[in-house]
Amino acid sequence: MSLQIYNTMTRQKEVFTPIEPGKIRMYVCGMTVYDYCHLGHARVLVAFDVITRYMRASGYDVHYVRNITDVDDKIIKRANENDESCDALTERFIAAMHEDEARLGVLSPTEEPRATAHIDGIVELVETLIDKGFAYVADNGDVYYRVTKFADYGKLNNRNLEEMQAGARIDVNDVKEHPGDFVLWKSAKPGEVSWESPWGPGRPGWHIECSAMTKCCLGSSFDIHGGGPDLKFPHHENEIAQSEAANGVKYVNTWMHAGAIRVNNEKMSKSLGNFFTIREILETYHPEVVRYFLTAGHYRSQVDYSEASLKEAKGALDRFYHALRGIEPVEEGQLDNDYDARFTAAMDDDFNTAGALSVLFELTREINRVKEDAQQAGRLVSQLKRLAGILGLLQLDAEVYLQGGQDDAGDGPSAEQIEALIVERAEAKKARNFARADEIRDSLKSQGIILDDSREGTSWRRES
């Protein structure tokens, strides 16, 4: 089975064929860096990280570009509120974003261009649009895109201009020719950060940034463009209009959009008080648990965030790590099973991570079945870790994960305290002081520490 991807533009799955054989050029809209990344950002970061990992594991040379918007109205407003420069604000939140994505196991993109580093390209693109009649300078000094000039405007969202205009309110003082026209270049207001242009000092509009950065990093046409569910309109629609009008060629072959995040069946929003940043969630849950939660559902599906769903994710991840515990991986050799083929079939079906994980659970059950055969179990463990690694999971040593080490957010006694109590318990049992031994076990259990006794001794883990 060849890789099939659901294309938002055509609203169907299509066999994926890259423009250049063996190579994939992909662009994903990144963050506007005026605040900490939230769970919706994590959804997009993890989804396209898994997609990139799988395409590379399939043998593709993937050139993955994810931009940073480091100038816009929100950034300027927040910098003014904080009495700091835009540069200081954006550098701080770019660093925080990198910390968050690293903790979630998200690999760095091939390129991470910033809007402010592409001003020359943006100005050149706007000039081209004006020269071709697709843009105009308004009376207030702003430059607008003329949507009525682009015949295919609305094709990504399957809406025509009249439908998009329905209900639009037109200000009698509006400087735009048409209510759907969107800004390409904003003339500078007093005190705002600005750059020189043929139309006077100003700064780019949001949509034009991506058209300029994609052209610089990937060319006029490329394979895949992705982003969050809220970007289909107007952002991606406007990107298409700008880029195809300026360059005269098809902009993108395949459009991909991750699903939305809901919290307890309600839309996540600050006004509802159910808005969570990545770092807030990681104060309570292990990063790999959060990654598993975001990976368990199909990337296009809506994900409902709740305490119950996070606990369910932790329980599932624990099952994997329990299977790995105490087994030394060995070279896989020639495996006599079909787990690889079935995992690949699931992922080739529009990156069906839920299907891929179900295969990994079957592999886990097989590991538990043959656990007494160190060689066979070791080969299967190597296979499990390799396949799970394509999803960015099972990256830790089993003992480290189960004992809550390496970036665990949980509270409770330290590893040293637990180990000391295990020694004391062993000595109590040896002295036939079973009451004290039971007291230690029960005390640890009340603190979320589970002791597992076996012929090899006593191991411990933090409770799911």
Side-chain angles (χ1 to χ4, degrees), residues 137-148:
V137 183
D139 292 342
N140 64 353
D142 292 350
V143 181
Y144 287 93
Y145 185 92
R146 186 177 278 123
V147 294
T148 54

Side-chain angles (χ1 to χ4, degrees), residues 68-338:
I68 292 174
T69 295
D70 59 347
V71 59
D72 89 329
D73 292 341
K74 292 178 181 178
I75 290 170
I76 293 170
K77 181 174 183 292
R78 182 63 58 85
N80 289 337
E81 291 170 351
N82 294 351
D83 194 24
E84 63 180 325
S85 69
C86 287
D87 283 347
L89 178 82
T90 56
E91 287 297 333
R92 182 156 50 86
F93 285 117
I94 288 170
M97 176 187 70
H98 288 156
E99 290 172 4
D100 290 343
E101 66 185 34
R103 292 183 69 190
L104 289 173
V106 173
L107 303 175
S108 298
T110 312
E111 290 187 75
E112 194 174 51
R114 303 185 186 188
T116 56
H118 288 263
I119 299 298
D120 289 347
I122 291 168
V123 169
E124 182 180 340
L125 193 56
V126 174
E127 285 184 299
T128 298
L129 290 168
I130 291 174
D131 291 343
K132 288 188 170 187
F134 285 95
Y136 58 93
V137 183
D139 292 342
N140 64 353
D142 292 350
V143 181
Y144 287 93
Y145 185 92
R146 186 177 278 123
V147 294
T148 54
K149 177 77 171 177
F150 189 69
D152 289 334
Y153 190 71
K155 62 182 177 179
L156 178 64
N157 291 272
N158 196 29
R159 298 159 69 187
N160 59 42
L161 197 55
E162 289 71 28
E163 290 172 329
M164 288 183 281
Q165 184 182 350
R169 295 172 62 185
I170 303 175
D171 191 323
V172 293
N173 297 317
D174 199 335
V175 296
K176 297 189 289 185
E177 293 177 356
H178 185 281
D181 292 352
F182 56 90
V183 68
L184 301 173
W185 185 264
K186 295 186 176 185
S187 59
K189 296 181 176 64
E192 283 188 349
V193 59
S194 65
W195 291 264
E196 289 301 320
S197 80
W199 322 285
R203 56 189 171 86
W206 176 36
H207 313 300
I208 197 69
E209 298 173 6
C210 289
S211 288
M213 287 185 277
T214 55
K215 185 172 183 179
C216 176
C217 299
L218 300 174
S220 298
S221 295
F222 54 97
D223 298 294
I224 297 172
H225 194 317
D230 55 330
L231 298 182
K232 285 186 283 188
F233 185 84
H235 185 53
H236 288 162
E237 198 71 68
N238 291 350
E239 272 191 66
I240 293 168
Q242 295 163 166
S243 296
E244 295 192 356
N247 302 323
V249 294
K250 184 178 182 179
Y251 183 40
V252 173
N253 280 356
T254 303
W255 286 89
M256 301 178 68
H257 292 91
I261 292 282
R262 293 174 69 85
V263 179
N264 294 319
N265 293 312
E266 291 186 305
K267 182 181 177 182
M268 186 178 72
S269 71
K270 289 183 178 179
S271 62
L272 292 174
N274 61 359
F275 181 89
F276 300 100
T277 66
I278 294 172
R279 49 192 52 205
E280 285 172 338
I281 295 167
L282 295 183
E283 289 176 3
T284 305
Y285 292 98
H286 193 289
E288 201 166 295
V289 170
V290 178
R291 185 179 177 103
Y292 181 94
F293 161 71
L294 294 170
T295 303
H298 192 275
Y299 77 91
R300 286 191 287 114
S301 66
Q302 181 175 280
V303 172
D304 189 50
Y305 173 86
S306 67
E307 291 295 314
S309 58
L310 265 294
K311 288 178 180 178
E312 183 179 333
K314 185 180 188 310
L317 195 60
D318 286 358
R319 284 170 59 192
F320 283 127
Y321 275 113
H322 278 300
L324 296 176
R325 195 176 201 178
I327 302 176
E328 191 67 32
V330 299
E331 189 174 337
E332 293 178 41
Q334 194 68 31
L335 291 163
D336 184 23
N337 64 49
D338 64 352

Side-chain angles (χ1 to χ4, degrees), residues 319-320 323-324 327 335-339 342 358-373 376-381 383-384:
R319 284 170 59 192
F320 283 127
L324 296 176
I327 302 176
L335 291 163
D336 184 23
N337 64 49
D338 64 352
Y339 295 119
R342 291 165 57 208
S358 70
V359 174
L360 298 190
F361 276 115
E362 290 184 41
L363 177 51
T364 299
R365 286 193 288 272
E366 181 66 10
I367 291 170
N368 289 329
R369 190 182 69 81
V370 302
K371 218 159 192 176
E372 297 303 316
D373 184 341
Q376 177 67 358
R379 293 170 69 203
L380 293 174
V381 161
Q383 184 180 23
L384 176 62

